[in-house]
Amino acid sequence: MKKIAVLTSGGDVPGLNACIRAVVRSALYHGMEVCGVQHGFEGLIHGEFVQMNGSSVSNIIHLGGTILKSSRSEQFKTKEGRKKAYKNLKREKIEAAIVIGGDGSLQGARKFAEEYDIPFIGIPKTIDNDISGTDVAIGFDTALNTAMQAIDKIRDTAESHNRVFVVEVMGRDSGYIAYGAGLAGGAEAILVPESNADLSHLENTLQQGWGREKSSLIIVVAEGDQTGGAQEVSELIKKHMPGRYIGICILGHTQRGGSPTSADRILAARLGVAAIRALRDGKKNVMVGMVKGEIAITPLKKIKRHHLKLNKEVLGLLEELSS
Ligand code: F6P
């Protein structure tokens, strides 16, 4: 394999730059030429290629965002879009592409792989952590820590004024950030899309907390929860706690930015190098993931969304710790 491309696709996450660096350095180490594709699949369609060398990825390991830029490409979902992408790859004599993306992007890579003879290797990234074939995706750990730190800060002010706060976190219809940040931030209640919110239980928890003279109460809600989010939860609580100050805080895209944690940098390095190794081993159309601390290789066609498992241990933990 002489020449490969690398691109980042979908919503940005912290750790993308660390992963681009790993892919580029590892490919160069093995004597390959590397082309960066700007703006993800859109750049493949419009032929936005940049030559990468060792210094193109110097001093980026700690940076959020993506030096290659990203996009959510509607065109790549069409046959015509993928045909244009293929022609551009052929013209540039690119023999394989590394796609650092979430579930949607990896599905796009799978479709391309079914139609054309240029192998794609996927690397999972998403703050939602909802991709099968890996225990954790790049960006999740940083987003989780950002949300936890925000909860810590809200607790300071909630505590000073004896207030209730509802904190809404991202995750689309996945509850990983809400569950993790709520647990790590000591929230009194956590609402995730994977379970039906028991609102009378929530009310009891809050009333009991208040009855025991807790000086602040924090509820973490995932943006995709059935209740609708922070605004709706605060309206519901207001009905049961009239006169009480109920603040809301929607963390939004702050969770997508910032310097990646060490865990995300290490994951990005391991998966980036594993992607090049997979190519050199002749693997085609697979995703490299991390399962129980080891590199795991899964065919792209087997990759699907996966969700937080609310087993007895997890539910019992929440019940006991918020009591
Ligand atoms: O999938 C990642 C994610 O950050 C979700 O948690 C969120 O719902 C969505 O992307 C936001 O997308 P956009 O940045 O396109 O508004």
Side-chain angles (χ1 to χ4, degrees):
M1 181 109 359
K2 287 200 186 87
K3 190 172 179 184
I4 64 159
V6 57
L7 62 89
T8 51
S9 173
D12 64 306
V13 302
L16 287 178
N17 285 325
C19 192
I20 296 168
R21 172 183 179 271
V23 168
V24 171
R25 292 257 162 102
S26 171
L28 294 175
Y29 178 85
H30 292 289
M32 299 175 190
E33 204 181 317
V34 191
C35 246
V37 183
Q38 291 190 305
H39 300 109
F41 290 141
E42 282 292 297
L44 268 191
I45 293 167
H46 300 293
E48 297 178 62
F49 297 102
V50 283
Q51 190 74 28
M52 310 286 282
N53 56 37
S55 60
S56 329
V57 292
S58 291
N59 300 320
I60 63 164
I61 197 167
H62 59 301
L63 300 179
T66 159
I67 58 162
L68 290 176
K69 312 271 185 182
S70 194
S71 66
R72 298 193 193 277
S73 175
E74 287 303 315
Q75 273 201 76
F76 199 74
K77 291 182 184 157
T78 67
K79 271 193 176 265
E80 301 74 56
R82 292 193 292 276
K83 192 173 179 186
K84 283 186 189 163
Y86 177 70
K87 279 188 177 166
N88 286 332
L89 285 165
K90 274 287 180 205
R91 196 194 57 233
E92 294 291 324
K93 298 193 168 49
I94 291 167
E95 294 168 75
I98 310 286
V99 175
I100 312 170
D103 172 66
S105 308
L106 298 177
Q107 294 306 333
R110 178 186 57 78
K111 279 209 180 113
F112 184 92
E114 283 164 7
E115 295 164 348
Y116 298 107
D117 57 357
I118 297 181
F120 274 18
I121 305 286
I123 301 182
K125 67 85 212 165
T126 168
I127 64 164
D128 307 342
N129 205 33
D130 58 353
I131 305 179
S132 68
T134 191
D135 290 341
V136 65
I138 299 169
F140 171 64
D141 187 66
T142 309
L144 182 59
N145 279 286
T146 299
M148 180 196 73
Q149 284 159 13
I151 294 168
D152 289 349
K153 287 175 184 161
I154 288 163
R155 187 178 291 287
D156 287 346
T157 175
E159 188 74 15
S160 308
H161 292 269
N162 292 6
R163 286 173 169 173
V164 179
F165 268 90
V166 186
V167 182
E168 182 182 307
V169 299
M170 269 190 171
R172 224 181 275 269
D173 60 352
S174 149
Y176 277 101
I177 300 181
Y179 172 71
L183 209 57
E188 273 67 28
I190 306 172
L191 304 176
V192 292
E194 289 84 351
S195 76
N196 279 326
D198 180 347
L199 295 171
S200 60
H201 183 259
L202 171 67
E203 192 200 321
N204 276 344
T205 308
L206 299 179
Q207 295 290 11
Q208 275 172 21
W210 223 248
R212 292 203 326 273
E213 294 181 353
K214 276 199 172 194
S215 46
S216 67
L217 292 174
I218 308 275
I219 299 140
V220 176
V221 58
E223 63 178 356
D225 186 65
Q226 287 94 330
T227 48
Q231 186 67 48
E232 287 75 6
V233 173
S234 87
E235 298 300 330
L236 286 168
I237 303 170
K238 263 182 205 151
K239 287 191 195 141
H240 300 286
M241 296 179 122
R244 183 75 61 201
Y245 179 105
I246 322 260
I248 63 172
C249 180
I250 299 174
L251 300 184
H253 287 80
T254 57
Q255 296 156 100
R256 290 243 296 261
S259 184
T261 57
S262 56
D264 268 330
R265 296 183 200 192
I266 292 165
L267 181 66
R270 290 188 68 189
L271 295 185
V273 169
I276 297 299
R277 195 162 291 163
L279 267 185
R280 296 185 71 239
D281 289 346
K283 300 271 189 309
K284 288 177 181 167
N285 309 322
V286 295
M287 185 194 86
V288 290
M290 189 66 67
V291 175
K292 296 192 172 92
E294 304 280 346
I295 296 294
I297 301 200
T298 312
L300 284 177
K301 59 175 186 271
K302 288 207 171 152
I303 299 299
K304 47 186 191 310
R305 301 277 305 281
H306 85 151
H307 287 281
L308 174 66
K309 287 202 175 54
L310 291 170
N311 57 23
K312 270 193 189 158
E313 192 263 338
V314 169
L315 290 170
L317 194 68
L318 289 181
E319 173 80 23
E320 289 181 35
L321 296 181
S322 62
S323 63

